Amino acid sequence: MHQTHPVSSDENISKQSFIDRYKAVRARTVDICSKLKAEDMVVQPIEDVSPPKWHLAHSTWFFETFLLSAFSENYKVFDTDFGYLFNSYYNTIGERVLRANRGNLSRPITSVIMRYRAYVDSCLTEFLENTNPTQEQIEIIELGLQHEMQHQELLLTDIKYILGMNPTFPRYDVNSLVDTAVENETGFLSIAEGVYPIGYEGQGFCFDNELGCHKVYIHDFQIAKSLVTFNEYIEFIEAGGYQDFKHWHAEGWDWVKKNQILSPMHMYKVNGEWMRYSLSGFQKVVGEEVLVHVNYYEAAAFATWKGMRLPTEFEWEVAADNLKWGKAWEWTNSAYLPYPKFNIAEGAIGEYNGKFMVNQMVLRGASGATFPGHSRKSYRNFFHPHLQWQFSGIRLAK
Ligand SMILES: [Fe+2]
């Protein structure tokens, strides 16, 4: 990781503001879950979707394992089983529940997990108050906060899947604006060819996958100022986009056929009318809203149908200063690969990003579910090309 020191050990004010920030980020996770019922907390309808209860515990386990157990003298783990239950994918740390089995964890019950959160929060706050944390410790806590913000977005997409796949379409929050952004930009931005710097440079936090500023040659290109809306995508559907192999990658076409896909996730045609499930409920599609829940195959097929393409992640980053991004994650035409100077950190933290750099595509930007300020123009999100359940949309390039 790479960041400035948000706390100088002799500055109690900045230490207090760091503690306040820690508390605020942690509280938002609980707040997101506060609108759920007890039964919603446990289900795992597909392997990719983790139970909300698991997110609450796993984000806590991160601080317990990487900070308190590692650095706080006399720290007693809350429950010795939790390492096995709530480790996500860290082989350095040890064995764990299979991802697909997270929904089997009816125990520990949610109230115990809430006590776990409170216990870790109080131990961590105490640790910060009573010691002069080292740069390494501060960086781990900061990473834990950024990790928790990522899980907040996953929580919202997982909650949407859990409720949206329920035949009664229960609402999450009638006032939610997370997945109902309206697009009001039009036209294309032209970028001149040249050599451009790519990667994070600055004094704030960034993930290791953004580091190693390097140069990339970009040819002349144009990039849409707007994200694709439901109206535009429905044209593709109605024109038989899902019935014609010629728009699709071979893998994408196999995916369409095998799963009998007719539309993006959470979209339904009912009595001739397009409907969708959003976090604010089951409702008519508003055509001007930003399309979400397409996978990479769909994004690429739509672009091909339009006679255009997706931007590469480098083109996106070069254009980003002049784009109003942040309404949906944007699939790029770039495979998720290490930058030329990428380094894998020592120990478990080194498992955070590097080992996922195969068979996934990069998404850039942010969505309405992203923690405010969490993303930046060098931020690299990534998912497997077949996955639709994130707030992922399309920006065209040519
Ligand atoms: Fe995680």
Side-chain angles (χ1 to χ4, degrees):
M1 298 318 106
H2 165 90
Q3 64 204 52
T4 48
H5 205 303
V7 176
S8 303
S9 44
D10 53 349
E11 288 174 25
N12 287 328
I13 295 170
S14 73
K15 192 192 258 191
Q16 191 53 49
S17 71
F18 189 61
I19 292 170
D20 291 346
R21 187 160 151 275
Y22 171 87
K23 288 179 178 167
V25 172
R26 296 277 291 160
R28 184 169 178 262
T29 311
V30 176
D31 185 57
I32 289 169
C33 295
S34 68
K35 299 173 183 77
L36 299 176
K37 304 297 180 199
E39 289 79 359
D40 303 328
M41 298 291 272
V42 197
V43 284
Q44 182 179 27
I46 53 170
E47 181 171 357
D48 301 302
V49 169
S50 297
K53 197 172 81 172
W54 186 88
H55 287 286
L56 284 165
H58 162 71
S59 52
T60 305
W61 167 87
F62 193 98
F63 288 105
E64 178 174 72
T65 305
F66 295 120
L67 189 95
L68 294 171
S69 293
F71 296 106
S72 181
E73 269 180 51
N74 307 322
Y75 176 74
K76 284 196 178 59
V77 294
F78 180 80
D79 186 316
T80 49
D81 287 340
F82 281 18
Y84 181 76
L85 299 180
F86 301 122
N87 176 1
S88 51
Y89 55 64
Y90 297 88
N91 293 313
T92 311
I93 304 294
E95 295 294 315
R96 61 207 165 268
V97 168
L98 282 178
R99 179 167 184 158
N101 291 343
R102 290 174 186 170
N104 299 350
L105 300 174
S106 59
R107 310 298 170 92
I109 60 174
T110 303
S111 61
V112 172
I113 288 171
M114 296 311 289
R115 275 204 281 123
Y116 178 42
R117 288 185 71 89
Y119 173 75
V120 165
D121 285 348
S122 95
C123 293
L124 196 136
T125 309
E126 214 176 280
F127 174 81
L128 280 173
E129 280 165 353
N130 299 337
T131 61
N132 288 326
T134 63
Q135 171 79 9
E136 183 192 11
Q137 292 161 356
I138 290 293
E139 287 186 6
I140 288 170
I141 298 170
E142 182 61 38
L143 180 64
L145 292 176
Q146 300 287 336
H147 170 255
E148 183 127 0
M149 294 173 201
Q150 292 181 315
H151 275 276
Q152 289 170 359
E153 175 141 11
L154 289 169
L155 256 171
L156 286 162
T157 49
D158 290 359
I159 289 167
K160 181 167 180 178
Y161 193 98
I162 289 166
L163 300 179
M165 294 301 153
N166 185 304
T168 65
F169 295 111
R171 256 184 206 139
Y172 169 66
D173 175 4
V174 69
N175 297 315
S176 174
L177 299 173
V178 162
D179 52 356
T180 55
V182 173
E183 186 53 90
N184 34 34
E185 301 291 316
T186 53
F188 283 80
L189 186 70
S190 294
I191 307 279
E193 73 172 336
V195 177
Y196 290 92
I198 295 295
Y200 184 79
E201 241 187 350
Q203 297 303 308
F205 174 87
C206 77
F207 287 106
D208 54 358
N209 61 5
E210 302 163 62
L211 281 176
C213 204
H214 61 287
K215 294 188 179 102
V216 171
Y217 190 84
I218 305 275
H219 291 270
D220 284 337
F221 73 102
Q222 290 187 296
I223 188 164
K225 292 183 190 166
S226 61
L227 292 179
V228 170
T229 62
F230 281 102
N231 265 344
E232 292 172 282
Y233 198 84
I234 285 169
E235 274 182 50
F236 169 68
I237 302 175
E238 304 281 354
Y242 284 86
Q243 283 78 45
D244 192 340
F245 67 88
K246 73 171 185 271
H247 313 307
W248 298 82
H249 288 108
E251 261 185 34
W253 186 241
D254 288 346
W255 170 80
V256 167
K257 290 275 128 199
K258 186 174 162 213
N259 301 289
Q260 301 179 7
I261 303 292
L262 299 169
S263 69
M265 185 173 278
H266 300 301
M267 275 180 82
Y268 306 89
K269 200 166 191 182
V270 183
N271 300 327
E273 193 156 40
W274 280 103
M275 306 289 290
R276 74 174 178 117
Y277 178 75
S278 84
L279 285 168
S280 50
F282 191 69
Q283 54 195 256
K284 277 187 199 171
V285 167
V286 177
E288 297 74 30
E289 287 179 358
V290 170
L291 171 77
V292 278
H293 301 299
V294 283
N295 66 18
Y296 173 77
Y297 301 137
E298 291 170 299
F302 176 82
T304 302
W305 177 73
K306 292 290 270 188
M308 291 186 244
R309 62 177 175 83
L310 303 176
T312 67
E313 65 166 319
F314 309 113
E315 289 171 333
W316 191 95
E317 190 168 324
V318 168
D321 285 338
N322 295 306
L323 296 175
K324 289 188 179 138
W325 52 268
K327 292 174 177 171
W329 288 100
E330 305 176 26
W331 286 106
T332 72
N333 239 349
S334 299
Y336 182 45
L337 294 171
Y339 285 169
K341 302 174 197 167
F342 179 69
N343 270 322
I344 292 184
E346 293 278 324
I349 296 296
E351 295 188 56
Y352 203 103
N353 278 312
K355 72 182 187 181
F356 298 109
M357 292 175 174
V358 64
N359 294 335
Q360 309 211 48
M361 299 304 283
V362 173
L363 299 97
R364 293 300 197 104
S367 82
T370 310
F371 191 96
H374 173 70
S375 192
R376 59 202 148 261
K377 73 170 184 176
S378 58
Y379 194 104
R380 307 173 79 200
N381 197 354
F382 52 92
F383 281 98
H384 288 289
H386 69 284
L387 294 173
Q388 291 175 299
W389 100 111
Q390 293 298 300
F391 297 112
S392 45
I394 308 172
R395 187 187 299 276
L396 294 170
K398 55 186 181 180

